[in-house]
Amino acid sequence: MWYLPFNAARYKNLKLYAKIETDGIEDAQHLTEILNKLYDRGEIDAKTYVEALPNSALESKQMLIYALKEKENDRK
């Protein structure tokens, strides 16, 4: 069997987007904990963090996403 060598440096700045839908409160809490860790380590930005949060985590989620997008556009 032949394998290609894995070069992690090629994937260091690769942007992946994943959205996880949860039904249960425990799942939502677990997802929020994971997102907190990713954000704290700088692996995701604030916009990605808020977009990935379960809808039950924030009442004004869409308003916050809009504000973060506006802030991002102002920087460009």
Side-chain angles (χ1 to χ4, degrees):
M1 193 170 270
W2 182 74
Y3 293 98
L4 288 172
F6 179 76
N7 181 359
R10 289 182 61 194
Y11 304 99
K12 183 175 183 178
N13 294 317
L14 180 66
K15 300 286 183 186
L16 297 176
Y17 181 79
K19 184 165 184 158
I20 301 168
E21 294 291 332
T22 61
D23 291 330
I25 292 174
E26 289 179 14
D27 291 338
Q29 289 173 342
H30 184 68
L31 174 59
T32 303
E33 289 173 17
I34 292 169
L35 290 169
N36 288 340
K37 290 176 184 177
L38 291 171
Y39 182 75
D40 289 343
R41 291 191 307 224
E43 294 183 32
I44 59 173
D45 61 9
K47 184 171 140 273
T48 303
Y49 174 85
V50 173
E51 287 175 338
L53 280 173
N55 289 331
S56 61
L58 280 176
E59 288 183 23
S60 58
K61 180 177 172 178
Q62 292 305 319
M63 289 176 49
L64 188 53
I65 290 170
Y66 177 78
L68 289 167
K69 285 181 182 178
E70 288 293 311
K71 186 176 180 180
E72 185 178 280
N73 289 336
D74 290 344
R75 289 185 199 161
K76 293 180 181 178

